[in-house]
Amino acid sequence: MRVTAPPAGPPVAAAQKAKAAALKIFALRFADCVGVQNTLSDLFPQRQFQMAADGRSNSLLIQAAADEMATVEAIILRLDEAPPAANNKTN
């Protein structure tokens, strides 16, 4: 009787990366979600994460591995800062 091994699954590194992927929703306060999505697409043309913009709630949904999520989150938070206050001096 010949015994064969079961089919090999995905490599361990890929399986661990898939496990580490998480979904995060960023509700933007100042920036437009579609504009931020376009900026992220430009910055990461070969991205390894998924994203979607929800115009109704002005939110970005990002699914990424932990290391990618940290980078994307830092960029989103920076892009979503309040605009500088206007100078209200009168002459």
Side-chain angles (χ1 to χ4, degrees), residues 22-29 31-41 43-44 47 49-64 69 71-80:
L23 176 68
K24 191 162 186 179
I25 300 172
F26 297 90
L28 305 180
R29 295 179 56 205
D32 173 62
C33 65
V34 174
V36 173
Q37 181 183 28
N38 290 338
T39 300
L40 290 171
S41 292
L43 290 172
F44 301 99
R47 69 181 184 271
F49 58 91
Q50 301 294 316
M51 67 179 160
D54 177 43
R56 184 188 59 79
S57 64
N58 197 39
S59 298
L60 276 176
L61 293 80
I62 308 288
Q63 184 174 18
M69 185 67 81
T71 301
V72 170
E73 181 172 9
I75 293 169
I76 291 171
L77 294 176
R78 179 77 173 142
L79 293 173
D80 194 39

